[in-house]
């Protein structure tokens, strides 16, 4: 069923007209490329590698939740305006549409806006899309539903004057589940966890000034308990400080974590508390309306809820409702499958959520429809998550600052893991996170197995490699355990290295032990032992193919972006 378009709100229409004007001005020579960049990034538009005339559109998905109407709009936008044949799901619950021609940018944005979707502030030095636990509101074991608070902050901060020209991007995430972190709280600029005070008051535990990248930093614990009434003033105070103190001369050190680092943890907290008092005294009625949290109470509707045809299905807190995690290999989903998903969910009134692991969670499926939904999903090629999951960044297939073609490696790993599953019938649960450069968009530092793309000098030539990290994790208590670097592996030997590590986990892992705990218990030397012939190989072991990245259809100078820069 195709819905008629809705009128685009006047603000969005004016912003989209501004994009069209900027494109025209660039093409006529009226504005330089730097000015065009300034205008386009705030509208979620980035250049990609398909050529100087092709762009990525990043669509903000508030709360990571999409309706059937949204799914169809995303699919049709990709089909009508882009070259990719599908979309990519990101770790911030956004959607990427690749290959939009410059002259068609405003048309694509207008088409999305007709379905209530925007790209505004999905990129640039702004407050980015707020990440929310995909299980918020349905988990039987959550403290309380954080959805209303993430929604209220997201609505207020979109187009807020403080968030338009920050020194660098600013990231917020919300988590409500007990004993788990599904959103990476430690490496956000503001990580917000639902908690209960000793006086049984609902509120939040907040960590601030975290981040990954080449100089990772776990967020600082702000205070043991922040009441709901102070959530907005805390956000505004943090943004005011960042706006004043962030380094606007050196983008490499412009994130909030560097401003906090210059002051030190205690001084930064005092500054934030003072600024918060200023916010509250100057505008006591400011901020969005925030409801008092409602404790859901314990809900036990008969166990985990796995179905024979979909073992990972979970029972929701709501009686007689199921949620279905769906694996989206590589985070890529074709437009055809988007249409199928829209039809399936519409038939049973299910919700669709994008997860931070680049998958999809179907929610609110009536229990009476569970087996039929499982069968319908499988009939259409959708599968449940498997024990070994892969999270990846875009890599140099599209990213203009990356080093390696992450997608090619991720596809090779998917194939390797499938063959291992068939051969062994058993695999320990483990998350592999892949980034194509030190920026860490694939969160490699907090992966149980992390891979970071690097260029290694081998006999005077640069060859694509990955630095292997083991034992990373985002802790439930707000700490970040960054993976231990083990060594560099040539890209074509990475699948073999991963197979050996999976075998090590199966052989050495103890009952009830996570992959991270196994790696930590065994130690660096024991974990590296099965890989000794793959780590830091001598130049005589390299063939000509080792100087070309995976996923390249023809000979290409490596690395495509950093030729002339120093190899890692």
């Amino acid at each position: 069923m195709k819905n008629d378009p809705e009128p685009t709100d006047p603000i969005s229409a004016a912003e989209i007209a501004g994009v069209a004007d900027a494109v025209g001005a660039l093409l006529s020579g009226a504005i330089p490329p730097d000015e065009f960049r300034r205008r386009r990034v705030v509208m979620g538009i980035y250049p990609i590698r398909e050529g100087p005339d092709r762009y990525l559109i990043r669509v903000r998905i508030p709360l990571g939740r999409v309706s059937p109407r949204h799914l169809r709009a995303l699919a049709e936008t990709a089909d009508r305006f882009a070259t990719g044949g599908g979309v990519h799901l990101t770790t911030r619950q956004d959607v990427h549409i690749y290959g939009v021609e410059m002259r068609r940018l405003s048309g694509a944005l207008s088409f999305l806006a007709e379905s209530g979707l925007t790209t505004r502030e999905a990129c640039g030095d702004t407050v980015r899309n707020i990440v929310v636990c995909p299980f918020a509101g349905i988990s039987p074991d959550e403290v309380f539903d954080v959805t209303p608070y993430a929604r209220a902050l997201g609505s207020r901060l979109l187009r807020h004057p403080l968030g338009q020209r920050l020194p660098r991007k600013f990231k917020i995430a919300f988590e409500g589940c007990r004993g788990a972190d599904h959103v990476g709280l430690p490496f956000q600029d503001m990580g917000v966890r639902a908690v209960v005070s000793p006086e049984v008051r609902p509120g939040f535990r907040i960590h601030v000034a975290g981040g990954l990248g080449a100089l990772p930093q776990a967020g600082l614990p702000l205070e043991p308990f922040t009441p709901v009434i102070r959530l907005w003033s805390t956000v505004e105070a943090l943004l005011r400080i960042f706006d004043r103190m962030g380094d606007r001369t050196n983008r490499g050190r412009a994130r909030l974590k560097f401003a906090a680092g210059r002051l030190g943890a205690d001084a930064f907290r005092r500054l934030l508390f003072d600024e918060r008092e200023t916010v509250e005294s100057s505008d006591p009625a400011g901020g969005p309306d925030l409801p008092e949290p409602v404790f859901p109470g314990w809900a036990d509707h008969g166990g985990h809820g796995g179905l024979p045809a979909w073992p990972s299905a979970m029972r929701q807190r709501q009686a007689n409702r199921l949620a279905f995690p769906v694996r989206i290999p590589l985070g890529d989903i074709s437009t055809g499958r988007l249409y199928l998903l829209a039809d399936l969910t519409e038939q049973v009134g299910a919700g669709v959520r994008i997860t931070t692991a680049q998958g999809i969670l179907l929610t609110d499926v009536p229990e009476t429809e569970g087996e039929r939904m499982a069968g319908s999903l499988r009939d259409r090629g959708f599968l449940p998550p498997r024990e070994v999951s892969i999270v990846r960044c875009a890599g140099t297939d599209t990213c203009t600052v990356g080093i390696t073609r992450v997608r090619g490696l991720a596809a090779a790993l998917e194939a390797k893991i499938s063959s291992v599953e068939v051969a062994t019938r058993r695999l320990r649960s483990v998350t592999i996170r892949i980034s194509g450069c030190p920026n860490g968009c694939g969160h490699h530092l907090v992966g149980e197995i992390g891979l970071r793309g690097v260029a290694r000098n081998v006999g005077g030539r640069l060859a694509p490699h990955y630095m292997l990290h083991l034992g990373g994790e985002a802790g439930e208590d707000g700490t970040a355990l960054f993976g231990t670097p083990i060594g560099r592996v040539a890209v074509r030997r990475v699948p073999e290295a991963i197979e050996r590590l999976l075998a090590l986990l199966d052989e050495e892992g103890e009952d009830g032990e996570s992959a991270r705990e196994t790696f930590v218990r065994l130690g660096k030397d024991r974990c590296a032992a099965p890989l000794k012939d793959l780590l830091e190989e001598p130049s005589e072991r390299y063939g000509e193919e080792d100087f070309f990245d995976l996923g390249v259809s023809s000979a290409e100078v490596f690395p495509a972006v950093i030729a002339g820069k120093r190899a890692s």
Side-chain angles (χ1 to χ4, degrees), residues 483-564:
T484 301
I486 304 299
R488 293 174 295 185
V489 182
V491 63
R492 281 174 166 74
R493 258 79 82 192
V494 171
E496 172 66 21
I498 297 302
E499 182 176 10
R500 296 184 192 182
L501 287 171
L502 296 178
L504 178 68
L505 288 172
D506 279 344
E507 294 164 4
E508 300 286 353
E510 297 180 353
D511 290 343
E513 191 176 55
S514 69
R516 187 199 71 81
E517 290 166 339
T518 300
F519 288 139
V520 171
R521 175 174 55 80
L522 294 178
K524 179 177 179 177
D525 291 345
R526 176 67 184 91
C527 292
L531 312 175
K532 60 183 179 181
D533 60 324
L534 304 179
L535 296 170
E536 310 290 340
E537 295 177 88
S539 59
E540 57 267 22
R541 292 196 59 187
Y542 285 73
E544 185 62 22
E545 72 278 2
D546 290 316
F547 295 93
F548 299 94
D549 212 340
L550 292 175
V552 180
S553 57
S554 59
E556 173 186 87
V557 174
F558 174 84
V561 174
I562 64 164

Side-chain angles (χ1 to χ4, degrees), residues 88-145:
H88 179 69
L89 312 181
T90 80
T91 57
R92 292 203 71 80
Q93 299 170 310
D94 293 318
V95 172
H96 284 179
I97 300 174
Y98 293 110
V100 182
E101 187 181 352
M102 183 189 295
R103 293 181 183 273
R104 308 197 72 195
L105 286 169
S106 60
L109 300 187
S110 295
F111 187 79
L112 289 166
E114 289 174 357
S115 293
L117 294 169
T118 185
T119 62
R120 175 78 190 191
E121 294 164 44
C123 303
D125 300 329
T126 63
V127 180
R128 299 292 183 86
N129 192 33
I130 293 178
V131 171
V132 185
C133 175
F135 303 103
I138 66 170
S139 172
D141 194 32
E142 68 181 349
V143 179
F144 59 81
D145 185 4

Side-chain angles (χ1 to χ4, degrees), residues 72-86:
R72 294 186 181 104
L74 291 166
E76 193 166 349
T77 303
D79 282 338
R80 288 178 55 179
F81 297 94
T83 59

Side-chain angles (χ1 to χ4, degrees), residues 333-349:
I333 182 168
S334 69
T335 56
R337 288 197 168 191
L338 286 173
Y339 286 121
L340 288 173
L341 205 56
D343 292 343
L344 275 175
T345 54
E346 196 168 58
Q347 289 167 12
V348 299

Side-chain angles (χ1 to χ4, degrees), residues 308-462:
W310 210 271
S312 57
M314 61 170 280
R315 294 186 187 278
Q316 297 183 186
R317 177 161 54 82
Q318 297 78 11
N320 305 315
R321 287 293 184 268
L322 298 174
F324 284 70
V326 180
R327 179 164 65 94
I328 305 298
L330 311 182
D332 296 335
I333 182 168
S334 69
T335 56
R337 288 197 168 191
L338 286 173
Y339 286 121
L340 288 173
L341 205 56
D343 292 343
L344 275 175
T345 54
E346 196 168 58
Q347 289 167 12
V348 299
V352 180
R353 304 182 181 189
I354 298 170
T355 75
T356 53
Q358 298 175 307
I360 280 175
L361 182 69
L362 306 185
T363 64
D364 300 311
V365 178
E367 191 168 353
T368 55
E369 297 286 339
E371 291 289 352
R372 189 167 74 87
M373 174 60 83
S376 296
L377 286 168
R378 286 190 180 271
D379 288 346
R380 289 159 177 78
F382 293 104
L383 295 172
R386 58 187 181 191
E387 292 300 322
V388 181
S389 62
I390 297 174
V391 174
R392 70 171 184 96
C393 74
T396 55
D397 283 286
T398 52
C399 177
T400 58
V401 299
I403 297 173
T404 53
R405 289 184 176 269
V406 171
R407 192 182 190 284
L409 174 63
L413 289 178
E414 288 278 359
K416 172 62 73 174
I417 292 163
S418 295
S419 68
V420 172
E421 282 180 330
V422 171
T424 65
R425 297 290 181 183
R426 63 187 182 89
L427 281 176
R428 293 277 304 283
S429 176
V430 61
T431 298
I432 301 171
R433 296 181 178 271
I434 315 172
S435 301
C437 76
N439 288 338
C441 296
H443 303 165
H444 64 277
L445 285 172
V446 291
E448 291 172 310
I449 297 176
L451 296 163
R452 171 173 62 89
V454 298
R456 182 188 175 203
N457 190 318
V458 179
R461 297 175 64 184
L462 295 180

